[in-house]
Amino acid sequence: MIQELIFATGNANKVSEIQSILGDKFSIKSLKDIGFSQELEEPFDTLEANAKTKAEQLKEITGKDCFAEDSGLFINGLNGEPGVYSARYSGADATDSRNIELVLKNLEDKENRSAYFKTVIHLLKNGKHYQFTGICEGKIIPNPIGDNGFGYDPIFIANDIPERTFAQLTKEEKNTISHRAKATKKFVEWLKK
Ligand code: IMP
């Protein structure tokens, strides 16, 4: 029997990525697929709590098994900023380049530029809660380099591929080491068991 799971995302790329790894025993539906267009609330200050509440809100609305994901960049010299606020770090009209500018400005007088990306996936299945975490350690460089990817990719160099920024990696290279790929791998392996 095909198991249906609703994914708390509007991002079709994330859905097709997970669907293609899972194969045809699972059917992953996005918010768009189920005709849901409101924003899910993310009121907490940890990725874990926000992923959990998004999965719970979705379960409340659909009554079905579902999962949610939350990611962010944690910079050690900035006490973990931007963290859960990564998408909106530079304010209500934040863009990737404004967020990058603010990070670089705040890091100007800091020696410690180590940082990590983290993804938490929260699954609510048959009334039970499960979390899967992926972390990618690295550092923030002083000037953006590269055109691929999104978000903070041009200023992040992962320890696993120390020669290039995330924005200089191919999609395939990033997918072998990224926080999201690691969390997704754990999630998918658990589902396939
Ligand atoms: P989301 O939870 O996947 O939407 O990620 C929240 C925010 O974290 C994004 O808007 C980006 O600013 C940042 N972020 C998360 N993952 C990445 C990544 O792989 N590269 C660069 N920025 C990321």
Side-chain angles (χ1 to χ4, degrees), residues 9 11 14 42 47 54 69-73 82-89 96 99 117-119 149-154 156 166 174 178-180:
T9 184
N11 186 328
K14 288 184 180 175
E42 299 178 88
L47 300 178
K54 283 193 284 183
E69 178 207 77
D70 212 14
S71 303
L73 172 66
V84 279
Y85 307 107
S86 292
R88 298 265 160 269
Y89 191 44
D96 287 347
N99 289 340
F117 277 112
K118 180 174 170 183
T119 292
F150 70 103
Y152 300 91
D153 281 350
F156 183 80
F166 258 10
K174 188 177 166 188
S178 85
H179 47 303
R180 191 169 297 98

Side-chain angles (χ1 to χ4, degrees), residues 131-193:
Q131 283 201 333
F132 307 88
T133 302
I135 285 178
C136 181
E137 303 263 5
K139 66 171 183 199
I140 304 298
I141 56 166
N143 293 298
I145 308 176
D147 301 313
N148 302 337
F150 70 103
Y152 300 91
D153 281 350
I155 55 169
F156 183 80
I157 292 194
N159 293 344
D160 291 325
I161 306 185
E163 304 82 17
R164 287 171 288 156
T165 66
F166 258 10
Q168 291 175 295
L169 303 182
T170 62
K171 213 171 167 185
E172 290 71 28
E173 284 172 325
K174 188 177 166 188
N175 275 341
T176 60
I177 59 166
S178 85
H179 47 303
R180 191 169 297 98
K182 286 176 185 164
T184 303
K185 191 164 173 249
K186 287 184 193 167
F187 171 58
V188 164
E189 277 170 4
W190 186 89
L191 280 177
K192 281 185 157 176
K193 263 201 298 197

